[in-house]
Amino acid sequence: MENKSREIKRPKAIEVRGGAVNNLKKINVDIPLDRFVAISGLSGSGKTSLAMGILYAEGSRRYLEALSTYTRNRLAKSALAKVRTVRHIPSALALKQRPSIPNERSTVGTMSEIFNVVRLIFSRLGSPVCPNGHRVPPTIEIAKAMDRPMNDPLMGTIKCPTCGERFHVFAAEDFSFNSVGACPECHGTGKVRTLDESKLIADPNLSLADGAVASWRLPGRNFMHVIAEKIGVRTNIPYKELSKKEKEIVLHGKKAHYPIDLKSANGRVFHMNNALYENAYDAVLDSLATSKSERSIARINRFFHFSTCPKCHGSRLDPKLLTQLAGASNIAEVQNMTLGALPAWQKAVIATLPANMHAMAAALFKDLHEDLDPLLNLGLDYLVLLRSGNTLSTGELQRIQLSRTLRSETTGVLYVLDEPSIGLHPDNVRGLLQVFNELLAQGNSLVVVDHEIDIIGSADEIIEIGPGSGAAGGRVIAQGTPAALEKNKNSLIAPFLTGEAQVLVHTAAQQEKTPPIRFSISDYYNLHDIEATIPTHAITAVTGFSGAGKTSLILNSLVPAIRQRARGEALPPQVSSLESPISQVISVDASPVGKNERSTVATYTNIMDNLRKLFAAQPAAKERGYDLSYFSYNNKEGACPTCGGTGSITLDIQFLPDMEEICPTCHGTRFKPAIQQIKWHGYSIVDILDLSIREAIPVMKSVPQIARQLNLLNDLGLGYLHVGESTPKLSGGEAQRLKLVKHLYKKDLDQLFVFDEPSVGLHPLDVQVLIKVLEQLLDRGATIILITHDLDLMLNADHLLDLGPRGGEEGGKIMAQGAPLQLLKQPNSLTLKYLAAYYAKFSKKK
């Protein structure tokens, strides 16, 4: 029978019907397949709900359903999305706005998997040294030896051509610092930790009773001075006046149990029969042994001095491995290369190989480039292989994740990317768009949630969600090509695409006579002999190419320098001088607020505390004996007994995905039904928590403590959030603004505020709201530093400090300092050239 060609009719779009995740208003929308689709909208409008809550959730869930029951049961299961139907959706992969932070054992090399290939190259193409010290040139015999059966006694052994001795050569796993190749001294971390005695005594001018011993302030050790007095140490005189014997007891006294009496604040006496004495050293070491939370360990680490391991010199590897060379370099030297330097190393390796090894080398380096090239295209050429993963910025982590997806060369996959431009210099956007094009060329579909104008303008189609945030959003207000949206009057992004928007919204700060902050960096990563000036009571934008040294200059040098001087400690070693009229620093990052679903806007502020007091004071509450504990869903007295105060229950349906449903008892309110019967002006506490901040302001105007907090939140541009909204779900930009609430209370803010990428997750119109918030801080006397790549924030800054010219070793220099609009007259750096073009775009139509 003759085969006839079939005409395959593929769907052209994903059809979403009745999408109601979070604030989405049962939307119907078609997302084109095999295209680059950008989703735009104000913060909180519902963009991520559509992209991640429906498209990714359904695409990944349905893929998992196609796997075997055995496999499905061992993978994380996605809950069903709140949507009527989703048709024609491919399997989905996602790149989230907040990648997980790697631990100290992860490096750029291990995360990108480049180091796996490097280890294999050293094993197969390297030049080993025999036990008698003779260097063996690269030989195909090594690969043959590695391919022998495991039970063959000659497996992994070769014969030295000089002395004839047979010996084991290093395999790829031998070069792993997370396995058998780890340095025996530091166990593969590259650092050693020693207790710093100078930090054990907080202030020698204080007595033990007044807190002279810093380590005795750790949890559970605040009564050590009482035991010390029992032993015979005077606790009412300055530590510096203690005898040598007394100091020895404080620092190195023997662990032992003593009976003591402790007085409480109200005068009551508590007797302890077997109170354990821990000297100043043991208090730290024992605390470290029992602490598990990152916050506790970070507090304890302040007593330690971390230094480079003296045995491996920071390479993390057993020194014996460094005898093997590839291209005249040992593996520690290769680890200290930047990604951009690896192609040159490749040439050096191939130059040392005999002709019969070239084919194998080509295959290995092909694997290397599959991992390396996407990273180079994404502008990460400045990263060093050995750099710790936990020191990378969010944007760098995202790009490493994105590069790994390209290696698989999948087809027919839906990629959902949430804010992939985080941390990207404008020059890197071109590389990101190139990666997008590669994904599309491989036959995939791409949905991107972003606010970067160049990314949105490069999309095949734009979907705008709005028109407002929260309850005022959740609708599709515009959809079409960028050219079509530019003519759409409903579009909020259109004026920014056309250049018709007003981007200069900040009134320049009045320069006062307060002296500026001046500091110098001697030698720190790529910063060498740097002198920087930060004007006080003004907004300074610190800019530059990714890896130029912004974080090293501000977060790792200036911030700790001011804090350590305020505590009377020495400056960080890299800070050679500091002149600062400011002694307090507030660092505001985009990390999530709260760690679980129980954290809400109301609990993060003091709104919840005041609401509890308000409702506990009502006559009906007093009649029933309801005190404060009854008006908290975190206490058993008030929490719904079915869901425990979370508002939802998770149903484990055996091999099907877990189903999360609204609690049938409290219907998502978190509280016992009886608690909701207590009313204030006709509202229950549940009713208040369900209001948006904007709606709650007139309701709570007669309660000043709550009204003030609500007004501050509204002034921060967060009026669309619900009073009881879960904080871990907030975007990075929303989280940063929420953290400012506690500071806007103060009238006099003679402090330095440092914002790291404050425009994360913010639409250009939201950035303008942020600028108004920053002006509120300025009005209260604050000094502000913005570490940013956002062109709108750069233009609206009072002062700009640009680092460059590029990243890594090609960065670390101050390219420009001054008022942004003045610097644009002679743009002499990469950043200023992009800023000048951006400013010209929005100036020519005025």
Side-chain angles (χ1 to χ4, degrees), residues 425 530 540-546 548-550 553 788-789 794 799-806 812-818 823 827-833 835:
H425 186 275
I530 294 292
T540 296
V542 178
T543 65
F545 204 81
S546 300
K550 303 182 295 297
L553 181 71
T788 184
H789 292 106
M794 293 182 203
H799 186 81
L800 189 142
L801 192 159
D802 185 43
L803 293 171
R806 296 190 74 83
K813 299 178 178 62
I814 294 180
M815 304 299 295
Q817 290 191 78
L823 295 175
N828 62 349
S829 73
L830 193 61
T831 303
L832 289 177
K833 288 175 182 176
L835 189 60

Side-chain angles (χ1 to χ4, degrees), residues 161-188:
T162 304
C163 64
E165 181 162 345
R166 183 168 288 279
F167 65 99
H168 276 276
V169 290
F170 295 128
E173 56 268 24
D174 293 321
F175 289 101
S176 172
F177 51 74
N178 287 324
S179 185
V180 294
C183 167
E185 180 77 16
C186 66
H187 307 291

Side-chain angles (χ1 to χ4, degrees), residues 524-538:
Y524 188 65
Y525 292 116
N526 62 348
L527 301 176
H528 309 291
D529 299 321
I530 294 292
E531 294 183 0
T533 301
I534 307 291
T536 51
H537 309 302

Side-chain angles (χ1 to χ4, degrees), residues 618-648:
Q618 299 309 303
K622 292 180 178 179
E623 286 175 12
R624 301 186 188 190
Y626 292 173
D627 59 17
L628 289 174
S629 63
Y630 283 80
F631 294 95
S632 170
Y633 51 75
N634 291 324
N635 294 328
K636 64 180 181 180
E637 292 85 356
C640 168
T642 303
C643 65
T646 62
S648 63

Side-chain angles (χ1 to χ4, degrees), residues 40-102:
S40 177
L42 297 178
S43 295
S45 61
K47 307 178 302 298
T48 302
S49 297
L50 172 59
M52 304 298 292
I54 293 180
L55 298 179
Y56 170 64
E58 282 298 292
S60 61
R61 183 183 65 80
R62 294 183 189 187
Y63 167 70
L64 292 178
E65 285 182 351
L67 302 178
S68 69
T69 301
Y70 177 85
T71 304
R72 281 203 315 269
N73 211 31
R74 282 154 179 78
L75 295 173
K77 305 168 191 173
S78 300
L80 290 165
K82 196 173 180 181
V83 59
R84 191 170 72 248
T85 61
V86 179
R87 298 182 62 212
H88 313 312
I89 189 163
S91 302
L93 294 174
L95 182 68
K96 298 182 180 179
Q97 190 187 96
R98 292 195 183 105
S100 57
I101 305 299

Side-chain angles (χ1 to χ4, degrees), residues 18 20 66 135 139 179-180 190 195 227 233 320 347 394 496 499 510 548 578 634 686 747 756 767 769 805 811 821:
R135 180 160 297 284
T139 170
S179 185
V180 294
L195 199 53
I227 305 179
V233 180
K320 69 181 182 183
K347 293 179 180 179
T394 300
F496 295 91
Q510 295 294 322
L578 171 67
N634 291 324
V686 169
K747 292 183 179 179
D756 188 10
V767 172
V769 173
L821 296 184

